[in-house]
Amino acid sequence: MINNVVLVGRLTKDPDLRYTSNGVAVATFTLAINRTFTNQNGEREADFINCVIWRKAAENLANLGRKGALIGATGRIQTRNYENQQGQRVFVTEVVAENFQLLEPRSVSEQRRSADNNSGGGNQSNFGNSYNQTQTSQTPETPNFDRDNSDPFGGSSIDISDDDLPF
């Protein structure tokens, strides 16, 4: 069975961080994800996907993610149900995120933060870092632009003649 979700969208509001009675961090957030097509009026619609993330990744998201931040998240779809105070059965479908990544560079986030500060909000980002349940951060590899990519097999000690090839 496969249950794998990859989402890229913007946070609709700051993540809501809470702790269970056992002290486990859990954050809920909603991603607004533009559809790839436009409606009859030529307007692009969006889907609003409810997500939940646990443990250290939840704390990281709550500390780093702000309303409007571009987020990539991977996880799985989960359904659950409960009985509300009126005695009605409520069904919930959500994405349980296993990790996330902030997808904007710091300069874009700082511009949004300065705009949000004028309206009372704030935003900060840590471009390229990903956060998940088992590791708190992963520093992205810096590409090596000085490397010579002209011959990918250059320096190889494999010596093959045309007679050795089966085709």
Side-chain angles (χ1 to χ4, degrees), residues 50-70:
N50 294 322
C51 304
V52 62
I53 192 165
W54 293 85
R55 298 177 184 78
K56 186 66 176 173
E59 293 174 334
N60 288 335
L61 180 61
N63 290 331
L64 299 171
R66 296 290 175 257
K67 178 181 177 179
L70 187 63

Side-chain angles (χ1 to χ4, degrees), residues 137-151:
S137 72
Q138 173 185 355
T139 304
E141 292 184 22
T142 303
N144 184 358
F145 295 110
D146 297 329
R147 184 176 54 202
D148 180 16
N149 291 327
S150 59
D151 183 6

Side-chain angles (χ1 to χ4, degrees), residues 32-72:
I33 302 171
N34 286 338
R35 294 183 178 170
T36 57
F37 54 88
T38 57
N39 63 16
Q40 292 177 344
N41 298 331
E43 299 167 345
R44 190 169 304 275
E45 295 179 355
D47 292 305
F48 297 88
I49 310 296
N50 294 322
C51 304
V52 62
I53 192 165
W54 293 85
R55 298 177 184 78
K56 186 66 176 173
E59 293 174 334
N60 288 335
L61 180 61
N63 290 331
L64 299 171
R66 296 290 175 257
K67 178 181 177 179
L70 187 63
I71 300 289

Side-chain angles (χ1 to χ4, degrees), residues 109-129:
S109 297
E110 288 173 355
Q111 289 173 359
R112 181 174 291 111
R113 183 179 343 140
S114 65
D116 287 349
N117 282 341
N118 294 335
S119 63
N123 189 18
Q124 60 185 355
S125 180
N126 199 1
F127 178 67
N129 287 348

Side-chain angles (χ1 to χ4, degrees), residues 69-153:
L70 187 63
I71 300 289
T74 60
R76 60 186 167 81
I77 293 177
Q78 178 175 286
T79 58
R80 59 185 173 87
N81 63 73
Y82 63 93
E83 193 171 300
N84 67 12
Q85 294 176 346
Q86 291 78 29
Q88 299 169 321
R89 179 71 50 200
V90 177
F91 293 89
V92 178
T93 300
E94 61 197 354
V95 171
V96 178
E98 294 167 1
N99 59 60
F100 75 93
Q101 187 164 6
L102 300 172
L103 300 176
E104 290 181 318
R106 185 175 300 275
S107 60
V108 172
S109 297
E110 288 173 355
Q111 289 173 359
R112 181 174 291 111
R113 183 179 343 140
S114 65
D116 287 349
N117 282 341
N118 294 335
S119 63
N123 189 18
Q124 60 185 355
S125 180
N126 199 1
F127 178 67
N129 287 348
S130 62
Y131 303 88
N132 60 41
Q133 308 296 7
T134 58
Q135 82 189 60
T136 57
S137 72
Q138 173 185 355
T139 304
E141 292 184 22
T142 303
N144 184 358
F145 295 110
D146 297 329
R147 184 176 54 202
D148 180 16
N149 291 327
S150 59
D151 183 6
F153 299 107

